[in-house]
Amino acid sequence: MDYRIEERVLHFKQPAGTSRGVYTTRKIWLVYLSDGQREGVGECAPLPDLSCDAVPDYGDILNKVCATFCQTGQIDYEALRDYPSMLFGLETALLNLERGERLFDTAFSRGKVGIPINGLVWMGTHEEMLQRMEQKLEQGFRCVKLKIGAIDFEQELDLIKRIRERFSFHEVELRLDANGAFPYEEALYKLELLSQYAIHSIEQPIKAGQWAYMADLCRESPLPIALDEELIGVNDPEMKHHMLNVIKPRYIILKPSLHGGMQGCREWIETAREMGIGSWITSALESNIGLNAIAQFASEVYGDDIRMPQGLGTGQLFTDNVDMGLEIRGDRLWRVNNE
């Protein structure tokens, strides 16, 4: 088996603001595997300052990983636990090589059903966020995720209040993502203020790595808390169980590029289910190659009748994306042009 690696830089249609800064470009590595007759492709897309494997010599390590795989013909999951984005790219390329465009045999992969997704409103000024919210609702989304933590909290609170004055919780489910922006000393007070607006959940209210503080918040918060960044770098199965048992969140949010590839996400989902913790899957600013794999994976692990909106709406962010036959109709992601 042979491989080749292609580096690409994707360009955002508009700057993507988070509490950690603003993205204007996105660097990815595409891994191609070939058996001489067929070829499969997967996407390796670490996020700078966030992924546990976003290292300076990423390309060199990826080359060694791919060379080892081609020599052995097997993915060494244990050796790749600390390199989730590489593992995800390799898993995807191998599935694509072996199975073609339909990575999993599900109704979504066959183009028969769509996956419900949330609309995503990026950070911006008060007016920008309100306008983006209006656009998402006009497009038919009934679950919208707001990224907060970049502008003044009072303005964000006012924005949420104005949304709720126009749309009840029966009409629109609101999710919030703080990306760790709240100081612990202020977090519970802010969560109490937010709770009056019927919020579905809030992701990562405080910075990751503060297990005792996060456990306190999960116990005391009037809002359901979901963990995201907290899961990054926790790659050992026993440690996954230990962390969830200590913190006891309501939900975990899984990104294969960040949280152990498909194999690691399966471990998280199974562990969470045993403990009564809900989950959903989201993309992490991948191109449509990664998004396509993540969406098919979600349909495989959650089944054909997915009720919980997933976070799979980031495929329209780039000016130079890869066409993978994905389209959003209303509030669902569909696969088209299937084999």
Side-chain angles (χ1 to χ4, degrees), residues 70-247:
C70 288
Q71 288 171 0
T72 63
Q74 294 183 326
I75 297 176
D76 188 340
Y77 288 100
E78 289 305 314
L80 291 176
R81 279 194 181 276
D82 292 333
Y83 299 95
S85 64
M86 297 184 196
L87 174 57
F88 175 59
L90 202 54
E91 287 174 315
T92 302
L94 185 58
L95 285 170
N96 188 205
L97 175 70
E98 294 176 341
R99 303 179 182 180
E101 295 301 317
R102 195 180 298 163
L103 306 181
F104 298 100
D105 187 22
T106 66
F108 170 76
S109 297
R110 296 191 298 272
K112 301 299 183 184
V113 300
I115 296 176
I117 61 175
N118 61 245
L120 179 60
V121 174
W122 288 93
M123 290 177 176
T125 66
H126 185 280
E127 291 305 317
E128 284 173 341
M129 292 181 73
L130 188 60
Q131 183 181 18
R132 291 168 189 167
M133 182 74 189
E134 300 254 2
Q135 290 172 348
K136 293 300 175 187
L137 298 176
E138 287 172 6
Q139 290 166 10
F141 287 98
R142 290 296 168 261
C143 175
V144 178
K145 172 177 161 178
L146 289 168
K147 282 189 171 286
I148 63 173
I151 62 175
D152 179 72
F153 179 72
E154 294 301 322
Q155 291 187 49
E156 291 172 336
L157 201 62
D158 181 63
L159 171 67
I160 294 166
K161 178 183 177 182
R162 288 169 67 178
I163 292 168
R164 273 289 172 250
E165 285 173 348
R166 293 186 53 192
F167 303 97
S168 72
F169 69 92
H170 295 293
E171 296 171 289
V172 178
E173 178 178 283
L174 282 180
R175 296 175 177 175
L176 303 179
D177 183 1
N179 285 127
F182 297 164
Y184 170 70
E185 296 76 17
E186 302 173 9
L188 186 58
Y189 173 66
K190 289 182 174 180
L191 294 176
E192 288 171 350
L193 291 176
L194 290 166
S195 68
Q196 62 188 311
Y197 299 114
I199 305 299
H200 171 271
S201 57
I202 183 166
E203 294 178 39
Q204 207 69 42
I206 62 174
K207 288 181 180 178
Q210 306 176 85
W211 289 15
Y213 285 163
M214 188 67 86
D216 285 345
L217 284 180
C218 287
R219 186 174 59 251
E220 302 294 335
S221 172
L223 278 184
I225 290 176
L227 301 186
D228 179 358
E229 288 94 336
E230 200 75 63
L231 312 181
I232 296 172
V234 182
N235 300 317
D236 177 74
E238 290 186 10
M239 190 58 70
K240 292 176 181 181
H241 184 276
H242 177 59
M243 191 194 77
L244 293 182
N245 190 50
V246 168
I247 297 178

Side-chain angles (χ1 to χ4, degrees), residues 101 109 111 323-327 329 335-339:
E101 295 301 317
S109 297
D323 184 14
M324 289 296 292
L326 296 172
E327 65 179 36
R329 304 176 202 160
R335 285 196 73 231
V336 294
N337 302 320
N338 296 299
E339 319 177 305

